[in-house]
Amino acid sequence: MEIFKFGGASVKDAASVKNVLRVLQKTGFQDKVIVISAMGKMTNAFEIVIAEYLSSRDIPGKSLSVIKEYHLDLAHQLFESNQAPVFEKINAFFRELTNFMKHNKSVQYDFVYDQMVCFGELISSTIVSEYLKLQGIEHSWIDARQFIKTDSTYRDARVNWEETQEKITHGVKPGKLYLTQGFIGSDANNFTTTLGREGSDYTAAIFAYCLNAEKVIIWKDVPGVMNADPRMFENPQLLNQISYEEAIELAFYGASVIHPKTLQPLQRKEIPLFVKSFLNPGDAGTAVSKGQSLIPEIPCFIVKKGQVLISLSSLDFSFMVEENISDIFKLFHLYQMKVDLIQNSAISFAVCVDNRFNNLERLIQHLKARFKVEFITGVCLYTIRHFDDLSLKTLEKDKEVLLKQVTQNTVQLITRT
Ligand code: ADP
Ligand code: ASP
Ligand code: MG
């Protein structure tokens, strides 16, 4: 089978949904699982609703209606009849979401987040499914939560591979066309869980792994994986081939074009991943597969904004040794900080972290009990893989570098902006 993933940008408006059909017409309708993300920037819009709901404990009518109008408008452009079943289905999802808000007693942000944010994917995949139905394309819409089983780490759930494998083997049969949601799964109590922002790529990889798929294609608004984010760098170049190892490194350092967890399951079964343009589906795009590390072999630039640089030193000038450092890491784990870079000397320890779960204040308080702590928020972490003199000089120009770390293949800079 083949697994396709269409992200937010590829279903952001009516024309994009029609384009999904065009891509399928080119590539064939059979033997596929199609994974769909929330439309456009809808996950961000849901995050606003969730924050407002949790702070007021009321239904945030205004921001909720922004989301509802967006989907209904889009559906009106795809379906001529107001009586089309899609409208009742969309309304039913909003009733379910509103009911959840009315009856929910939990104040646990991560739990509430997952129970609400999943509607982005549920509605999006339903609209695409109803549109395919209207066009006479036979397929099954399946609820990913019945297939992807996870633990209960809401917002960052870990897959229970054994159960997931069993559900997928029983429920997904070769030859057919399936449509499902990215990003979402469910735990042992059948509460919704999510796999982390941008997690739909990972969903595609999970289905691919469990089905021993022939390939995965992630359809994007870019020609493939470039050597730099086209939003931030001029003249980025397309990478034609990347090995799994290199792609894992790029994703790990923050190349947001592929979700970092996506590659491991694919590598284990040597399932190739293609990143292709949904506007030019005939173009080759980028292949991530076994083989040469990088073609062409050029420096690759990765930027992560909004990071935090924390500097720690011992209160009594004693050395920063294994014991201290292991205690520090326990705290990073406790507060769900993703560590991007580490640098230590005899009496100090600097670390760049991603404050994804907004636990910085609590972490700093905790650290202050034992260390002298300084921190700077909003720093940028630049990484160049396969750097050379020119690429490094170009990047360093006009920047205030706070920390620099050079290894054989990779240079990392932390800068103020
Ligand atoms: P999706 O629609 O699948 O959610 P995303 O918006 O998450 O897609 O990812 C596509 C975007 O990733 C591109 O529009 C591009 O701006 C950005 N991007 C960041 N780094 C890269 C890179 N190295 N190569 C290509 N695109 C990149
Ligand atoms: N909709 C989710 C997000 O925006 C998951 C995804 O798009 O991959 O993060
Ligand atoms: Mg995305």
Side-chain angles (χ1 to χ4, degrees), residues 64-83:
L64 193 61
S65 68
V66 170
I67 297 181
K68 194 168 177 181
E69 289 312 309
Y70 175 95
H71 288 108
L72 288 174
D73 275 0
L74 196 149
H76 276 296
Q77 291 173 51
L78 291 172
F79 302 88
E80 276 173 18
S81 162
N82 288 344
Q83 304 306 313

Side-chain angles (χ1 to χ4, degrees), residues 377-388:
T377 55
V379 299
C380 277
L381 172 66
Y382 287 93
T383 304
I384 317 177
R385 292 274 299 162
H386 313 286
F387 68 99
D388 53 19

Side-chain angles (χ1 to χ4, degrees), residues 5 7-10 198 220-222 224-226 228-231 256-257:
K5 179 250 173 174
S10 44
E198 305 296 335
K220 292 269 181 190
D221 58 355
V222 280
V225 180
M226 323 288 285
D229 186 341
R231 288 169 300 191
S256 61
V257 69

